[in-house]
Coordinates of all heavy atoms in Angstrom, one line a residue:
I217 N -56.1 -182.1 -0.2 CA -55.3 -183.4 -0.4 C -55.9 -184.3 -1.4 O -55.3 -185.4 -1.7 CB -55.1 -184.1 0.9 CG1 -56.4 -184.9 1.4 CG2 -54.7 -183.1 2.0 CD1 -56.1 -185.8 2.5
Y218 N -57.2 -184.0 -1.8 CA -57.9 -185.1 -2.6 C -57.2 -185.4 -4.0 O -57.4 -186.5 -4.5 CB -59.3 -184.6 -2.8 CG -60.1 -184.7 -1.6 CD1 -60.4 -183.6 -0.8 CD2 -60.6 -185.9 -1.1 CE1 -61.1 -183.6 0.3 CE2 -61.3 -186.1 0.0 CZ -61.6 -184.9 0.8 OH -62.3 -185.0 2.0
D219 N -56.4 -184.5 -4.5 CA -55.8 -184.9 -5.8 C -54.3 -185.2 -5.6 O -53.5 -185.2 -6.6 CB -55.9 -183.7 -6.8 CG -55.3 -182.4 -6.2 OD1 -55.1 -182.3 -5.0 OD2 -55.1 -181.5 -7.1
I220 N -53.9 -185.4 -4.3 CA -52.5 -185.8 -4.1 C -52.4 -187.1 -3.4 O -53.4 -187.7 -3.0 CB -51.7 -184.7 -3.4 CG1 -52.4 -184.4 -2.0 CG2 -51.6 -183.4 -4.2 CD1 -51.8 -185.2 -0.9
E221 N -51.2 -187.6 -3.2 CA -51.0 -189.0 -2.5 C -50.4 -188.9 -1.1 O -50.7 -189.6 -0.3 CB -50.1 -189.8 -3.4 CG -50.6 -190.0 -4.8 CD -49.5 -190.5 -5.8 OE1 -48.4 -189.9 -5.7 OE2 -49.8 -191.3 -6.7
V222 N -49.5 -187.9 -1.0 CA -48.6 -187.9 0.3 C -48.8 -186.6 1.0 O -48.8 -185.5 0.3 CB -47.2 -188.2 0.0 CG1 -46.3 -188.1 1.3 CG2 -47.0 -189.5 -0.7
V223 N -49.0 -186.5 2.2 CA -49.1 -185.3 3.0 C -47.8 -185.3 3.9 O -47.6 -186.2 4.7 CB -50.4 -185.2 3.9 CG1 -50.4 -183.9 4.7 CG2 -51.6 -185.4 3.0
I224 N -47.0 -184.2 3.8 CA -45.9 -184.0 4.6 C -46.1 -182.8 5.5 O -46.3 -181.7 5.0 CB -44.6 -183.9 3.8 CG1 -44.4 -185.1 2.9 CG2 -43.4 -183.7 4.7 CD1 -43.3 -184.9 1.9
M225 N -46.0 -182.9 6.8 CA -46.4 -181.8 7.8 C -45.2 -181.5 8.7 O -44.4 -182.3 9.1 CB -47.5 -182.3 8.7 CG -48.8 -182.6 7.9 SD -50.2 -183.1 9.0 CE -49.7 -184.7 9.4
C226 N -45.1 -180.2 8.9 CA -44.2 -179.6 9.9 C -44.9 -178.6 10.8 O -45.2 -177.5 10.2 CB -42.9 -179.1 9.3 SG -41.7 -178.3 10.5
M227 N -45.1 -178.9 12.0 CA -45.9 -177.9 12.9 C -45.8 -178.5 14.3 O -45.3 -179.6 14.6 CB -47.3 -177.8 12.4 CG -48.1 -179.2 12.5 SD -49.7 -179.1 11.6 CE -49.1 -179.0 9.9
G228 N -46.4 -177.8 15.2 CA -46.5 -178.2 16.6 C -47.2 -179.5 16.8 O -48.2 -179.8 16.0
A229 N -47.0 -180.2 17.8 CA -47.6 -181.6 18.0 C -49.1 -181.5 18.1 O -49.8 -182.4 17.7 CB -47.0 -182.2 19.3
N230 N -49.6 -180.5 18.8 CA -51.1 -180.3 19.0 C -51.8 -180.1 17.6 O -52.9 -180.7 17.4 CB -51.4 -179.2 19.9 CG -51.0 -179.5 21.3 OD1 -51.0 -180.7 21.7 ND2 -50.8 -178.5 22.1
N231 N -51.2 -179.3 16.8 CA -51.8 -179.1 15.4 C -51.8 -180.4 14.6 O -52.7 -180.7 13.8 CB -51.1 -178.0 14.7 CG -51.5 -176.6 15.3 OD1 -52.6 -176.4 15.8 ND2 -50.6 -175.6 15.2
I232 N -50.7 -181.1 14.6 CA -50.6 -182.4 13.9 C -51.7 -183.3 14.4 O -52.4 -184.0 13.6 CB -49.3 -183.1 14.0 CG1 -48.2 -182.3 13.2 CG2 -49.3 -184.5 13.7 CD1 -46.8 -182.8 13.3
R233 N -52.0 -183.4 15.7 CA -53.0 -184.2 16.2 C -54.4 -183.8 15.7 O -55.2 -184.6 15.4 CB -53.0 -184.1 17.8 CG -53.9 -185.2 18.5 CD -53.6 -185.1 19.9 NE -54.3 -186.2 20.7 CZ -55.5 -186.0 21.4 NH1 -56.0 -184.8 21.4 NH2 -56.0 -187.0 22.0
E234 N -54.6 -182.5 15.7 CA -55.9 -182.0 15.2 C -56.1 -182.4 13.7 O -57.2 -182.8 13.3 CB -56.0 -180.5 15.3 CG -56.1 -180.0 16.7 CD -57.4 -180.5 17.3 OE1 -58.5 -180.4 16.7 OE2 -57.4 -181.0 18.5
I235 N -55.1 -182.2 12.9 CA -55.2 -182.7 11.5 C -55.5 -184.1 11.3 O -56.3 -184.5 10.5 CB -54.0 -182.2 10.7 CG1 -54.0 -180.6 10.6 CG2 -54.0 -182.8 9.3 CD1 -52.7 -180.1 10.0
M236 N -54.7 -184.9 12.1 CA -54.9 -186.4 12.0 C -56.3 -186.9 12.5 O -56.9 -187.7 11.9 CB -53.8 -187.1 12.7 CG -52.4 -186.9 12.1 SD -52.3 -187.4 10.4 CE -52.8 -189.1 10.4
L237 N -56.8 -186.2 13.5 CA -58.1 -186.5 14.0 C -59.2 -186.2 12.9 O -60.1 -186.9 12.6 CB -58.4 -185.8 15.3 CG -57.8 -186.4 16.6 CD1 -58.0 -185.4 17.7 CD2 -58.5 -187.7 16.9

Side-chain angles (χ1 to χ4, degrees):
I217 81 168
Y218 287 101
D219 59 343
I220 59 94
E221 301 161 322
V222 179
V223 181
I224 303 174
M225 298 180 286
C226 178
M227 64 192 70
N230 289 334
N231 285 330
I232 285 180
R233 189 173 186 260
E234 287 299 312
I235 291 175
M236 292 308 299
L237 282 169

